[in-house]
Amino acid sequence: GPDVAPQLAALLSDEDETVRAVAARALSRISTPEAAEALARTLSDPSELTSLRAAENLERIGPLAVEPLTELLGTDQRRAQVLAARILGDLRVAEARPALREAIRREWNTDLRAQATLALGKIGDPDDIPAILAASEDSSWPVRAQAANALEMIGDTSTIPTLELLAVDREWWVRLNASRALVNMGPEG
């Protein structure tokens, strides 16, 4: 129950990877704000497997994880920021939109900009189109590629001119995503 959350949170830093994974799963089953905070702190663990397990279990917790994940977007913990943006997008958390739009402007973290752009697309609010259009002009191709994906997810045909520009981008991944987005917009695309 919730009373063992502090002990389980302490196990998230155990030297044994299996113990950390089991503790993360147990915390997700408890699903308290304290469990979500402990798992969110673990997103910056040096072990990629541990941070991915924490991310998986934060998705299971759902809405209780929104606040600590949104707070992580404002830190300087690069991997944790990227995972937080991915989870918020997977959860389709509308309340995270302002923080995700702010994350797109973080020039020093390309992966965060790309993941925040994709997250806005997953959330699917047409009011975020201006931020995604700005991301489509980013100097880093991963951000432009995710902007094409995000525009596809929202599906607003007013973005076709931008997708047409992305379809002739110098990077093949951007071209592929933009072309797919255009095809999925039907006859207009």
Side-chain angles (χ1 to χ4, degrees), residues 113 135 137-141 144 170:
R113 292 194 320 273
E137 298 174 2
D138 197 279
S139 61
S140 296
W141 72 263
R144 295 191 309 274
R170 66 184 173 276

Side-chain angles (χ1 to χ4, degrees), residues 60-159:
R60 287 187 178 115
I61 288 178
L64 290 176
V66 172
E67 186 176 331
L69 289 171
T70 304
E71 288 173 7
L72 271 174
L73 292 175
T75 69
D76 61 355
Q77 301 170 26
R78 287 178 177 243
R79 185 183 332 158
Q81 288 176 314
V82 173
L83 289 170
R86 188 192 84 201
I87 296 163
L88 290 166
D90 288 347
L91 293 173
R92 291 165 172 70
V93 178
E95 309 90 86
R97 290 175 43 240
L100 289 166
R101 286 192 304 266
E102 180 63 33
I104 291 174
R105 293 192 289 269
R106 295 249 171 137
E107 291 184 18
W108 50 271
N109 192 337
T110 299
D111 293 335
L112 174 60
R113 292 194 320 273
Q115 199 59 241
T117 301
L118 181 62
L120 287 174
K122 288 178 179 179
I123 293 168
D125 191 316
D127 289 342
D128 292 323
I129 289 175
I132 297 168
L133 291 174
S136 76
E137 298 174 2
D138 197 279
S139 61
S140 296
W141 72 263
V143 181
R144 295 191 309 274
Q146 295 298 18
N149 285 333
L151 292 173
E152 176 186 6
M153 290 173 189
I154 293 176
D156 188 320
T157 57
S158 70
T159 64

Side-chain angles (χ1 to χ4, degrees), residues 6 10 13 17 19 25 27 40 50 52 55 60 69 77 80 94 116 118-119 130 133 137 139-140 169 172 176-177 180:
S13 58
E17 190 89 49
V19 171
R25 182 69 175 125
L27 283 167
T50 296
L52 290 174
R60 287 187 178 115
L69 289 171
Q77 301 170 26
L118 181 62
L133 291 174
E137 298 174 2
S139 61
S140 296
D169 193 273
W172 72 271
L176 175 70
N177 291 355
R180 186 183 59 236

